Amino acid sequence: MYRSHNCGELRMDHIGQEVTLSGWLQTSRDFGGMTFIDLRDRYGITQLVFNMDDEAEICGRARKLGREYVLKITGLVRERTNKNPNRPTGNIEIEVKTLEVLNASKTPPFTIEEETDGGDELRMKYRYLDLRRPVVQKNLIFRSELAIATRKYLSGEGFIEVETPVLIKSTPEGARDFVVPSRMNKGQFYALPQSPQTFKQILMVSGLDKYFQIVKCFRDEDLRADRQPEFTQIDCEMSFVTQEQILNTFEALTKNLFKETLNVELPDFPRMSYDDAMRLYGSDKPDLRFGMQFVEMNDFAKGKGFGVFDSAELVVGICAEGQADKFSNKDIKILTEWMQRPQIGAKGLVYVKCNADGTFKSSVGKFYSDDELKIWAEKFGAKAGDILFVLSGEDEKTRKQLNELRLEMGNRMGLIKEGDFKPLWVVDFPLLEWDEDSERFHAMHHPFTSPKKADMERMMKGDHETMKSLRADAYDLVINGSEIGGGSIRIHDRELQSKNFDLLGFTKEEAEAQFGFLMSAFEYGAPPHGGIALGFDRLCAVLNGQSSIRDFIAFPKNNTGRDMMIDAPSPIANDQLDELGIGLQEEVLE
Amino acid sequence: MYRSHNCGELRMDHIGQEVTLSGWLQTSRDFGGMTFIDLRDRYGITQLVFNMDDEAEICGRARKLGREYVLKITGLVRERTNKNPNRPTGNIEIEVKTLEVLNASKTPPFTIEEETDGGDELRMKYRYLDLRRPVVQKNLIFRSELAIATRKYLSGEGFIEVETPVLIKSTPEGARDFVVPSRMNKGQFYALPQSPQTFKQILMVSGLDKYFQIVKCFRDEDLRADRQPEFTQIDCEMSFVTQEQILNTFEALTKNLFKETLNVELPDFPRMSYDDAMRLYGSDKPDLRFGMQFVEMNDFAKGKGFGVFDSAELVVGICAEGQADKFSNKDIKILTEWMQRPQIGAKGLVYVKCNADGTFKSSVGKFYSDDELKIWAEKFGAKAGDILFVLSGEDEKTRKQLNELRLEMGNRMGLIKEGDFKPLWVVDFPLLEWDEDSERFHAMHHPFTSPKKADMERMMKGDHETMKSLRADAYDLVINGSEIGGGSIRIHDRELQSKNFDLLGFTKEEAEAQFGFLMSAFEYGAPPHGGIALGFDRLCAVLNGQSSIRDFIAFPKNNTGRDMMIDAPSPIANDQLDELGIGLQEEVLE
């Protein structure tokens, strides 16, 4: 037996008991006659005492042990004279009687504490050591608990968890698939699912009624800072439901998860149309932890002789309360340059400071009188000490630029409070998005999303311009400016689905080859259905007020899709390639 | 709103209420003035009544609806005159007031009833229709409930569910890997995990203490009848544990699952050494639902002048109670031929019938007197009316052949009772298995399995013959002759692990390239640890007394690894291949 108790559970009640503990040497302090060792496991830390007078041999051995050695000890629980109130086991210590070294340890390449001195690369290579840090373990334990709470809630609501296959079929629409060459069917490939979308719809056709799955999904994309090639979704689908019922169901799930894991009671989630979100925040995932809504200025800023505004499609601004003093000319110049970086791409930045005496200081002061700027201030609800930032240009681009500025200002002004959660449903998304470059429509959500009932006839019969105005029964769940998930009511009619594939530029043959099984299924009594998928990694991060999902994944990959610990991907043997009937292309071999 | 109630919940209490139901048309009966429709969903079936006198228009439409149409109706709940006690909703019916066809259905290619007339191929192609059958839905719901019970139990015991990666590294040892070409690292490949073995060990090194995961695993093997390329495991690992503690933990889990899902209380599981299992049953997964243990006969059957036996390494038999009458000469000939099929490969089959008058009838009667055969009967505990079947030949092969015969006889004799569960721990497996063909050792479980403590020194220092006799802390959980799972105490010492790789024929370089990260991890304070993996698909089947796992998988693949519904695997586009830097080999292109 390796232990009678773990390193986190001994209390005053245990005093006088002989116990066996196993764990890792966290720290060791040697005071000549006495040696103290902090022994650590997942559950906590317990102080061990070795006494040179009573147990010279054991104490002598104990002095030589290094950090991260694995020890098994037996000893007597006794009260500490020098109690540590910051530690649950801080009232007791163990007077060690026997000591066994279960395993030695080389000196770790970084410190295994709450804060570590290890860089990202090193920590990923020695992930097993990084995972020993309580702060990282806490994340994994949180993730496990969040999954339990999710499953408990959804199964309580009658959802059935069904495992959908991982080896499926490549459908090049959307993101890039990871593919898997088939040995038994040479020249053919499986693909890893980007989501179980078609399978969950098939389960609805099969009458399963309420499905969910916490499931790995895969996308072979160039990795941005916070993307992973494999990620986890809470994937759900329901039959015979309206959008309203779906929103209510998953709002209730989200509230329940906040309550169960954080003991936070969320109020009812507001809903905002996609159009309003873009109009007021320039984003389909607005962060509602602070206001600073956009004010459209075309009506009162154009036609005053300032050419930049006059020629712009949109003039729009935000008001940063009480920030006038914080921005010197130099600060404004730096902020303007920040906005002009290629990542944002603003042409310039106009400001208006509201002075205490009712006058204004502005970069466009020579085009606008104080009386005119007073109207601006009124439209913004600005008061003395506030500063307005104004952008102009092409509508969509300008809104996106101002969104970046709004978020930046919210951060700088400390408007984002820890522990503040502002969920939001964004609804009424467009069905299709016109892509100027490829001159074709893209699905705003995905090709299975249903237009609103009122738009179906227009969709079946309308012209090109009509298609741009179609609205979908599609919705996103946004929390604190992060898209936590999205979903839609799905098409369940073969003709409508076929029309949608047409609009998206599929030939009949392509649609049939890739999604024929789904369209066939629609001919055998497919029920109305809809669902949602929530990003599980993202949800973990948002619940913990963190921005990176990587800290909630046990073995994340780096930005080139590499697992630094196991060193994957890696070359494989030629006979493996031969068995699969594939080879490397010349350029790769060189 | 599509429904106020589902099709399984209306009772006498609801009489007089107006309700809305949605579901599928199961059957329709037309009696001129009245039309009855059975409306089905996941929850049950409710009878609808359409009356020609009261609602001629609706009734007229209802008459024309075919099987599997999707309907939404409103109507009044009323008491049935002709009650159906076999159906939970059998006391009521709905007098329909409004009828909406939500979707039409073509005539299904097979009947959607408990028993279907659809063949395997057709049912897999139209899996969405097969999944509508309540018997198949029941299996998926059972699977979902078993997963919930598993997670509930293990998390209650302090296990943390951690998701390990799906894109890992190819390690050609063992079964064949599925591989995934990397686009960002051209010429390199990920592999899909055959199990999360090394990752769960890494989690133990990282101090997670108790890990579990219900996880998809992948093996690119030629598919035997009941194998799937992707399958699901309950994967577990614990630190600071002995084999005894692991067996007790997972025996308790198994008992809990039987209790929670079947309300069956299992007694304590017996334990049997691998040697005893092979000696008494010729199998490392004996079916203990019946006896018919092997009796070794070398001592009394050899040396009597019957050359076949005299030259055999082993003479061994079983006694089939009361079966003497059931086997005519012709039956024995047929059985002998069955044993001689290449799948079993017995050279012949000797029988001895115990007659009522104390005499014997045997195929080897001319070599053995009745007195001698009487000794045989005594050794077998055989009585009048019994028949002995005896095989001879090379030890291991003969035992395996007799195992097949024992199982066949158990079936024929009706000794396998429905609802009878006989779990068993098989323990003390050999560490290594000598393979005559490749002239090398294979790991009996896998390369990470620890030898028994008492054998470690012999392993580090011993010669070739010594290696054959090493025992491992490895164990299998067997229920009713099915291997439900297996596990072991793992090696946690770099040197021992390195020695094991040596013995298994790895060069130092191969071991380092494939498992270097694990051996490195062992140098930084790896705790003693061990675990188990249970086959989740198999567990589902065994709990339901079924032999095929396929019926418990929502979307299984056929014997060539093909998903018949979505038609995967399939060719991919050349630009996908180019992006990955791979091509098809010439032979494949032809």
Side-chain angles (χ1 to χ4, degrees), chain A residues 163 188 190 232 524 561-562, chain B residues 132 163 188 190 232 561-562:
Chain A
E163 293 175 53
Q188 300 187 20
Y190 301 100
T232 303
Y524 287 96
R562 179 163 290 282
Chain B
R132 278 190 198 158
E163 293 175 54
Q188 300 187 19
Y190 300 100
T232 303
R562 180 163 287 282

Side-chain angles (χ1 to χ4, degrees), chain A residues 3 24 42-43 103 132 143 158 163 166 188 190 205 209 230 232 524-526 561-562 566 569-570 578 581 585, chain B residues 24 42-43 103 132 143 158 163 166 169 188-190 205 209 230 232 524-526 561-562 569 578 583 585:
Chain A
R3 59 188 173 194
W24 285 264
R42 185 183 115 196
Y43 312 95
N103 215 340
R132 279 191 197 157
R143 185 184 176 101
E163 293 175 53
V166 175
Q188 300 187 20
Y190 301 100
V205 177
D209 208 67
E230 49 181 301
T232 303
Y524 287 96
R562 179 163 290 282
I566 64 172
S570 60
D578 290 344
Q585 291 185 0
Chain B
W24 285 264
R42 184 183 116 196
Y43 312 94
N103 216 341
R132 278 190 198 158
R143 184 184 177 101
E163 293 175 54
V166 175
K169 185 167 169 163
Q188 300 187 19
F189 293 75
Y190 300 100
V205 177
D209 208 69
E230 49 180 303
T232 303
Y524 287 97
R562 180 163 287 282
D578 290 344
Q585 292 185 357

Side-chain angles (χ1 to χ4, degrees), chain A residues 176 219-225 227 559, chain B residues 183-184 579:
Chain A
R176 228 181 263 106
R219 280 182 205 170
D220 184 11
E221 288 177 335
D222 294 322
L223 300 178
R224 281 180 274 151
R227 289 269 183 120
N559 284 349
Chain B
R183 179 181 55 85
M184 283 200 275
E579 267 196 322

Side-chain angles (χ1 to χ4, degrees), chain B residues 295 297 300-301 318-321 352-355 358-361 368-390:
Chain B
V295 174
M297 302 170 64
F300 51 89
I318 54 174
C319 169
E321 280 187 65
V352 181
K353 285 184 178 179
C354 305
N355 297 329
T359 63
F360 296 92
K361 183 177 179 220
Y368 298 91
S369 68
D370 271 11
D371 281 350
E372 282 168 329
L373 294 177
K374 195 169 169 225
I375 294 172
W376 290 25
E378 278 164 13
K379 296 281 186 182
F380 277 88
K383 53 191 189 318
D386 293 353
I387 184 169
L388 311 182
F389 290 113
V390 179

Side-chain angles (χ1 to χ4, degrees), chain B residues 25 28 35 37 50 56-66 99:
Chain B
L25 189 157
S28 167
T35 295
I37 284 178
F50 299 81
E57 185 270 338
I58 294 179
C59 189
R61 281 198 290 135
R63 285 178 175 183
K64 292 179 195 139
L65 304 175
L99 165 67

Side-chain angles (χ1 to χ4, degrees), chain A residues 306-474:
Chain A
F306 180 41
V308 174
F309 284 4
D310 289 349
S311 66
E313 188 181 1
L314 177 71
V315 184
V316 63
I318 53 174
C319 170
E321 280 186 64
Q323 295 293 301
D325 286 354
K326 305 263 168 71
F327 283 89
S328 67
N329 286 346
K330 193 182 162 198
D331 294 332
I332 289 174
K333 183 159 171 277
I334 292 170
L335 185 64
T336 305
E337 282 163 7
W338 185 84
M339 289 293 291
Q340 287 171 330
R341 290 173 310 144
Q343 296 95 311
I344 299 184
K347 293 219 182 73
L349 178 64
V350 167
Y351 75 91
V352 181
K353 284 185 181 178
C354 306
N355 298 328
D357 61 2
T359 62
F360 297 93
K361 185 181 177 216
S362 171
S363 47
V364 293
K366 57 178 164 179
F367 297 100
Y368 298 90
S369 66
D370 271 12
D371 281 351
E372 281 168 332
L373 293 178
K374 193 169 170 225
I375 295 173
W376 291 25
E378 277 164 13
K379 297 282 186 184
F380 278 89
K383 52 189 189 317
D386 293 355
I387 183 168
L388 311 182
F389 290 114
V390 179
L391 295 178
S392 62
E394 189 269 314
D395 188 315
E396 199 179 330
K397 276 186 195 154
T398 307
R399 288 184 196 280
K400 284 185 178 162
Q401 292 158 3
L402 192 59
N403 166 54
E404 298 291 339
L405 182 61
R406 174 180 174 270
L407 294 176
E408 175 68 14
M409 291 306 299
N411 265 317
R412 287 195 189 191
M413 292 163 67
L415 300 176
I416 294 170
K417 300 272 182 289
E418 201 180 326
D420 190 17
F421 296 104
K422 285 285 184 280
L424 166 72
W425 287 110
V426 179
V427 297
D428 301 341
F429 277 83
L431 181 70
L432 303 167
E433 204 174 13
W434 179 252
D435 185 55
E436 292 292 348
D437 295 340
S438 59
E439 294 208 312
R440 41 173 289 206
F441 283 111
H442 288 289
M444 191 92 178
H445 267 69
H446 55 52
F448 313 105
T449 298
S450 178
K452 286 188 178 291
K453 213 158 195 174
D455 284 357
M456 283 184 190
E457 214 178 294
R458 289 202 301 140
M459 175 171 166
M460 291 304 282
K461 295 186 183 154
D463 58 11
H464 182 84
E465 281 308 305
T466 303
M467 296 309 145
K468 290 185 179 172
S469 69
L470 297 173
R471 295 283 136 173
D473 276 331

